[in-house]
Amino acid sequence: MFWTFKEWFWLERFWLPPTIKWSDLEDRDGLVYVKPSHLYMTIPYAFLLLIIRRVFEKFVASPLAKSFGIKETVRKVTPNTVLENFFKHSTRQPMQTDIYGLAKKCNLTERQVERWFRSRRNQERPSRMKKFQEACWRFAFYLVITVAGIAFLYDKPWLYDLWEVWNGYPKQPLLLSQYWYYILEMSFYWSLLFRLGFDVKRKDFLAHIIHHLAAISLMSFSWCANYIRSGTLVMIVHDVADIWLESAKMFSYAGWTQTCNTLFFIFSAIFFISRLIIFPFWILYCTLILPMYYLEPFFSYIFLNLQLMILQVLHLYWGYYILKMLNRCIFMKNIQDVRSDDEDYEEEEEEEEEEEEGTKGKEMDYLKNGLGAERHLIPNGQHGC
């Protein structure tokens, strides 16, 4: 049954234009063509990237974060068996009636119970150090892969003339630069997918899963059907904007607000130009319209463009979030990732309360010490306090 499915799955009519056979893409005369078996290497390379990431975060990202003043904070919560059991077995977000009952049971004020639950929730959230490490790793990879992509593509004719993308298709030999560009990019997305359960979770968690799966599926399919030339164009258009986003995140976590805002404006401009202008009017035009001058519509042509359209929908989805953050930056003078409003708000609120309490504590100490030191200056019978 497996072999029957395999034979059906690799039928030439699903992958290649009519009249083209798999035998036409066999290596000959020193020319190498893409093979599905090449993609097996992306899995071990993904695990290798995870190892490199671990080393990078420990020996590069962490020292860099500390140089920016970011510390590995340990959030401590006052132990309370009753509140801990309610947190684990009932809900992390108690209603007001629950807070009232818990306050009575624990002999605490409602405010103290609310603060305990907020602190407990924050205890399980990633620290700024972890967020910085993640952004730093992505920045480093996108920077390297973008520079490599430009180096691979700058002398290729299809970068400047889209007609060259389809010239001779599908009998287009595989270049060594194309092999490594594809393999490294796919391996990276596999590594991100493997780390989704451990990385910082945000409101668009599901969108990230869809994006990573769509990216891997699109790259795998384009590889097997030998859409390598158009595939490299799609990758460079996406990578060029991500550098600026990750660098903006890094400076945001470091508290460099002005630098973060500047980088985010640059990212926004590049994002809207590359993904909402170049991608639909250049890349999609290249994959959807130009092939019609060379070939009759066939299955892989339709499937390729369907995936690219799904990717464009995701661009619009993230464009909406970017517009919200730009609105916040312009009118509130602050950029905060709208995908994690609740988390950051609670964290900041807790920090403000701790600072307020610390200030009050210092004031009380000052008053007590001052009162003790100057008590002899107060006339007898007028101590009052």
Side-chain angles (χ1 to χ4, degrees):
M1 184 175 178
F2 171 76
W3 293 106
T4 303
F5 172 78
K6 183 179 178 181
E7 289 178 3
W8 172 83
F9 183 80
W10 291 109
L11 284 176
E12 288 147 343
R13 70 170 183 267
F14 292 150
W15 300 90
L16 303 173
T19 73
I20 300 296
K21 307 294 182 182
W22 288 117
S23 57
D24 297 327
L25 300 180
E26 292 180 356
D27 300 345
R28 61 171 64 88
D29 301 326
L31 299 177
V32 178
Y33 293 89
V34 296
K35 298 178 182 61
S37 58
H38 290 157
L39 300 182
Y40 294 150
M41 290 304 299
T42 59
I43 302 300
Y45 281 138
F47 285 105
L48 179 61
L49 282 176
L50 290 175
I51 296 172
I52 295 173
R53 173 178 175 174
R54 178 61 180 166
V55 174
F56 177 88
E57 289 180 348
K58 183 176 182 180
F59 294 103
V60 178
S62 292
L64 184 60
K66 290 175 182 177
S67 70
F68 279 116
I70 301 173
K71 298 178 181 178
E72 187 68 65
T73 56
V74 179
R75 301 185 181 101
K76 295 181 179 180
V77 179
T78 305
N80 188 304
T81 306
V82 174
L83 298 182
E84 185 68 26
N85 287 335
F86 190 91
F87 181 88
K88 288 183 175 180
H89 304 296
S90 295
T91 178
R92 297 157 53 98
Q93 301 274 1
M95 304 290 290
Q96 193 60 41
T97 53
D98 298 326
I99 293 173
Y100 177 79
L102 290 168
K104 291 292 185 184
K105 187 180 293 186
C106 299
N107 196 24
L108 298 171
T109 65
E110 293 181 32
R111 183 63 173 166
Q112 287 174 321
V113 174
E114 288 175 350
R115 289 193 59 209
W116 188 94
F117 274 93
R118 182 165 55 250
S119 298
R120 184 66 179 84
R121 288 192 296 270
N122 285 335
Q123 190 180 46
E124 295 190 349
R125 292 189 177 115
S127 63
R128 286 184 182 273
M129 175 67 80
K130 179 177 173 59
K131 293 177 181 179
F132 183 91
Q133 289 173 336
E134 181 182 321
C136 190
W137 163 248
R138 295 191 185 205
F139 166 78
F141 180 84
Y142 286 132
L143 178 62
V144 170
I145 202 68
T146 300
V147 172
I150 294 172
F152 293 158
L153 288 171
Y154 84 97
D155 61 344
K156 304 301 185 292
W158 59 86
L159 179 64
Y160 311 99
D161 183 5
L162 293 179
W163 290 98
E164 288 295 322
V165 170
W166 299 102
N167 186 20
Y169 177 82
K171 298 178 182 180
Q172 298 170 337
L174 175 66
L175 303 177
L176 185 62
S177 59
Q178 293 172 323
Y179 172 84
W180 283 112
Y181 193 20
Y182 252 83
I183 294 299
L184 288 176
E185 191 91 25
M186 285 188 64
S187 300
F188 178 69
Y189 278 106
W190 274 119
S191 70
L192 292 183
L193 198 61
F194 295 154
R195 284 283 304 181
L196 271 178
F198 305 96
D199 285 341
V200 178
K201 291 185 180 180
R202 303 188 184 277
K203 291 180 180 179
D204 61 348
F205 178 76
L206 181 60
H208 269 289
I209 295 177
I210 295 173
H211 175 268
H212 296 340
L213 290 174
I216 292 171
S217 172
L218 178 59
M219 285 188 283
S220 300
F221 180 81
S222 64
W223 179 272
C224 295
N226 206 16
Y227 294 119
I228 303 297
R229 293 184 180 181
S230 59
T232 54
L233 297 179
V234 171
M235 289 191 292
I236 195 65
V237 164
H238 282 76
D239 291 337
V240 72
D242 291 330
I243 304 170
W244 303 96
L245 175 62
E246 300 304 331
S247 61
K249 287 181 182 179
M250 290 166 59
F251 283 102
S252 174
Y253 300 142
W256 292 35
T257 306
Q258 192 60 46
T259 306
C260 167
N261 291 353
T262 302
L263 291 170
F264 187 77
F265 277 123
I266 296 173
F267 160 73
S268 301
I270 295 175
F271 179 92
F272 287 120
I273 292 171
S274 63
R275 303 198 190 184
L276 300 183
I277 297 177
I278 293 178
F279 186 83
F281 298 107
W282 186 51
I283 301 294
L284 281 178
Y285 173 77
C286 173
T287 61
L288 193 62
I289 306 300
L290 295 188
M292 295 296 93
Y293 292 91
Y294 291 92
L295 307 161
E296 293 293 326
F298 56 103
F299 179 81
S300 68
Y301 156 82
I302 297 171
F303 190 65
L304 172 71
N305 285 285
L306 179 62
Q307 291 182 94
L308 292 175
M309 289 177 185
I310 292 173
L311 202 56
Q312 182 59 30
V313 171
L314 286 173
H315 294 164
L316 295 172
Y317 173 82
W318 273 303
Y320 164 75
Y321 275 114
I322 291 169
L323 287 175
K324 287 185 69 175
M325 285 187 275
L326 284 174
N327 178 70
R328 173 170 290 167
C329 177
I330 294 170
F331 295 104
M332 299 177 65
K333 307 300 181 185
N334 178 44
I335 286 182
Q336 176 179 314
D337 196 334
V338 295
R339 298 172 299 169
S340 55
D341 287 339
D342 298 337
E343 293 182 8
D344 293 342
Y345 175 77
E346 283 194 354
E347 219 171 312
E348 289 170 5
E349 189 179 51
E350 185 181 18
E351 289 173 1
E352 288 172 2
E353 283 190 358
E354 287 175 357
E355 289 177 5
E356 186 179 344
E357 283 195 354
T359 305
K360 286 181 179 178
K362 289 178 182 177
E363 289 174 354
M364 290 300 294
D365 290 341
Y366 172 77
L367 289 173
K368 288 178 182 178
N369 294 334
L371 189 59
E374 306 294 335
R375 189 175 292 275
H376 66 279
L377 299 177
I378 301 176
N380 291 336
Q382 296 184 17
H383 295 299
C385 294

